[in-house]
Amino acid sequence: MNALEATHYDKVRNIFDILHGKAEADLLLKNLNILDVHGETVYQGSILVHDKRIIALSPDESILKVREVFDGKGLYAIPGLIDAHIHFESQLAHPTALAEAMVPCGTTTIYAECLDLLSAAGEEGVEAATALFKDYDKLPYRLFAFAPGKKTAAHVTQAVLQMEPVIGLGEFEHFTYSSGNDDDFRKAAWVRAKGGFMNGHWGVTALSEMVLNYLPAIGVSNNHDVWNEDDIEKSIRYGFPTHIKFGVGSAEVIKVLLRAIVDRKWPTDNFMLCTDNISVERLLKSGHMDWIIGVCADMGINPIHAIKMATYNTARSFHMEDQIGSLTPGKFADIVLTDSLSRINPLYVFKDGELVAKDRKLLKNAEIDYSGMCKDGVPGLASLEASQLDIVPLEISADGTQAKVYLFDVYGRGHAKFYQEVWVPYRDGKVVPELDGVRYSRISVVQRYPKADRHVVNGLFKGVSIDSGAVATFWPAPKPYFVAIGNDSAEMCHCLKQVDGYSGACVVTENLQQKAVMPLEIYGVMANMTVAELTAAASSIDAALEALGNRNEGEPVVNKLLSLFISLHRFRFMV
């Protein structure tokens, strides 16, 4: 035998000896109500764990030798929860901070995009990926990642595809894959040659029939961008394992999707659950996949089916059902103990048979230093003038009393409502920011590094309403742009220049004085903070804005503003 064969010989011999009472196992979890995701039943039993994996169900305890016994006291045992698609950087927390907020919710595995971070890193993309994945195997959750399918140079994608824990290619860019871009052909070829997965992207009813056929034909593995019943119908008809995403979709969109699944009686084996983008504050207040399962149950989906959508279905979609997604011998011992199946309450969370969270508190985390990824800001707004933020009408009515302007809606109600062209009053040569009797704050979308004339888009904004002062933030990927919200061009310009002093940040100002700041020092997209520091910084932004008259609901303002860049890019407001 070679060394590898000898190692496996020792492992299989040891399992045999443990099950016959001749060797010691690591852990016995007893007095459980175990969820069988295959038979969709619950049964009383115990789980024996050794060397990170389940090696027996309900073993003969009279002959067992075991190092540790855990009394489950009749709790339900379900597989560790899985997020089928999440963007690492969207929640602003680096990987260990994310663990603090996510693992206590019962999540033990994520399938993660990292395209915005690597796009922000530019020519340092490979270096940034190496730092991001450093010691990933020490994290208290299982990480599978995707090389960028868009927003990065092809050579960066090619290098990242060779890294651990990368298992495939992330989201393609719709505007390029639908037009036959050679970089996209090469990226697809590389991942096909590797035998990896390809993440699908773009609401399928927005695709031409030929492009819709093209994606599964080249091997796209899933679709996480459905927005309505028609999207779902086409997605499953074309064979896509289909993700229902909860982070960026509004409550109305999510309910439409779940109601369609229930009403159309589509088999839930077609579906997986994911967040796509979710804030740390949402994780801490509402939960993660545990919360999503509860929403599904409330909408009429069988709770066991909902749990499968957040466990076994996802594992099977990524051909990993032999490792995760069920509580059966041979699988990793990723186990959640809860007192309910319809309202997951993760009282105990095990990853690899080790207790990593209890009563929604993380017990174990990796110690990884990300400070080397922090970057100094490179200012680009020195030449910006306040007058460039004034709203210039798209059109003026014949009688000169009305102006047509852009109205942007805070992202979360679906892309279809992201922006409109609306008529508002026009007096004394100026736009009056009022529509149907409602006064709106202004928004400016500002290019950071112009090659010639600076690109600026101005309009009205629905979602953050402040009486005075301004708030601004920055997002570097795929193109470096700022957004500012306020009522006065000079204040907004000053606020933007405050943000310009950082690699990335969210800043609130009033009367040209800084009131709150949240630095995003890791390539301008993530904060080098603990969860406590991160939530305190986000709360300081909200508190400062509340003092300025902001009436905010839902996600923190910083997350709302950063999510705008997704749609600004999609609708070509960034050149």
Side-chain angles (χ1 to χ4, degrees), residues 367-378:
E367 295 184 4
I368 306 173
D369 182 7
Y370 297 100
S371 60
M373 300 177 72
C374 294
K375 300 296 175 181
D376 294 330
V378 180

Side-chain angles (χ1 to χ4, degrees), residues 444-554:
S444 291
V445 182
V446 181
Q447 186 181 31
R448 189 170 196 176
Y449 306 115
K451 293 182 179 178
D453 293 335
R454 187 183 307 277
H455 181 237
V456 179
V457 178
N458 300 310
L460 306 183
F461 187 63
K462 181 179 180 181
V464 176
S465 177
I466 55 179
D467 297 330
S468 63
V471 59
T473 191
F474 169 74
W475 195 249
K479 298 173 182 178
Y481 269 77
F482 299 89
V483 296
I485 310 295
N487 300 293
D488 176 78
S489 295
E491 185 77 52
M492 293 166 69
C493 184
H494 173 77
C495 192
L496 284 167
K497 290 186 177 182
Q498 294 293 299
V499 178
D500 196 37
Y502 297 86
S503 57
C506 183
V507 173
V508 179
T509 64
E510 183 186 25
N511 296 326
L512 308 183
Q513 298 295 315
Q514 190 177 110
K515 296 297 182 180
V517 60
M518 180 179 185
L520 300 173
E521 299 168 305
I522 299 178
Y523 288 105
V525 299
M526 289 197 301
N528 189 32
M529 302 178 186
T530 65
V531 162
E533 293 167 338
L534 184 65
T535 53
S539 295
S540 73
I541 297 293
D542 282 357
L545 287 171
E546 186 175 354
L548 301 180
N550 178 55
R551 297 166 292 280
N552 183 47
E553 296 179 3

Side-chain angles (χ1 to χ4, degrees), residues 237-270:
R237 179 171 295 165
Y238 278 72
F240 291 113
T242 301
H243 299 167
I244 305 299
K245 61 183 179 183
F246 284 70
V248 296
S250 69
E252 293 80 9
V253 172
I254 293 164
K255 289 178 181 178
V256 165
L257 299 178
L258 296 178
R259 191 175 294 116
I261 293 172
V262 173
D263 291 347
R264 294 288 297 272
K265 296 182 172 59
W266 279 313
T268 55
D269 286 350
N270 292 301

Side-chain angles (χ1 to χ4, degrees), residues 21 62 103 124 193 234 236 276 289 337 342 358 361 420 430 437 500:
S62 68
V103 174
E124 295 181 20
K234 276 200 171 182
I236 62 177
D276 199 8
M289 310 311 294
L337 302 187
S342 59
K358 177 184 177 183
K361 298 293 183 182
Q420 307 168 57
K430 293 185 178 181
D500 196 37

Side-chain angles (χ1 to χ4, degrees), residues 312-374:
Y312 181 71
N313 291 5
T314 303
R316 184 183 59 195
S317 171
F318 288 107
H319 304 171
M320 295 183 187
E321 69 272 28
D322 62 329
Q323 302 178 57
I324 55 177
S326 66
L327 301 181
T328 52
K331 310 304 185 295
F332 283 111
D334 300 345
I335 305 165
V336 175
L337 302 187
T338 172
D339 55 12
S340 170
L341 295 182
S342 59
R343 289 281 180 213
I344 305 301
N345 180 23
L347 297 170
Y348 301 92
V349 182
F350 295 82
K351 189 253 183 181
D352 289 335
E354 183 175 3
L355 186 64
V356 292
K358 177 184 177 183
D359 296 331
R360 294 193 177 272
K361 298 293 183 182
L362 191 66
L363 302 178
K364 179 185 178 182
N365 203 354
E367 295 184 4
I368 306 173
D369 182 7
Y370 297 100
S371 60
M373 300 177 72
C374 294

Side-chain angles (χ1 to χ4, degrees), residues 395-407:
E395 184 180 343
I396 298 175
S397 63
D399 63 5
T401 64
Q402 288 193 308
K404 182 185 287 186
V405 300
Y406 289 122
L407 172 64

Side-chain angles (χ1 to χ4, degrees), residues 161-172:
L161 276 169
Q162 307 308 313
M163 296 182 181
E164 295 289 345
V166 176
I167 62 168
L169 183 67
E171 302 171 0
F172 276 122

Side-chain angles (χ1 to χ4, degrees), residues 1-77:
M1 289 186 181
N2 60 34
L4 181 60
E5 291 169 340
T7 297
H8 281 288
Y9 175 87
D10 291 341
K11 286 180 180 292
V12 297
R13 180 63 183 265
N14 194 43
I15 291 172
F16 182 88
D17 288 344
I18 289 171
L19 296 181
H20 288 81
K22 298 178 181 179
E24 186 179 63
D26 292 332
L27 173 68
L28 176 69
L29 294 96
K30 59 189 299 183
N31 297 330
L32 303 173
N33 282 295
I34 302 171
L35 174 60
D36 169 15
V37 297
H38 302 287
E40 298 182 355
T41 60
V42 174
Y43 65 94
Q44 293 181 343
S46 58
I47 298 173
L48 187 65
V49 177
H50 186 72
D51 193 22
K52 300 183 179 181
R53 294 181 183 259
I54 298 169
I55 63 169
L57 299 175
S58 302
D60 182 356
E61 295 183 25
S62 68
I63 66 169
L64 278 185
K65 295 179 181 178
V66 62
R67 181 170 54 84
E68 180 182 357
V69 176
F70 184 96
D71 187 353
K73 298 180 181 179
L75 294 172
Y76 293 102

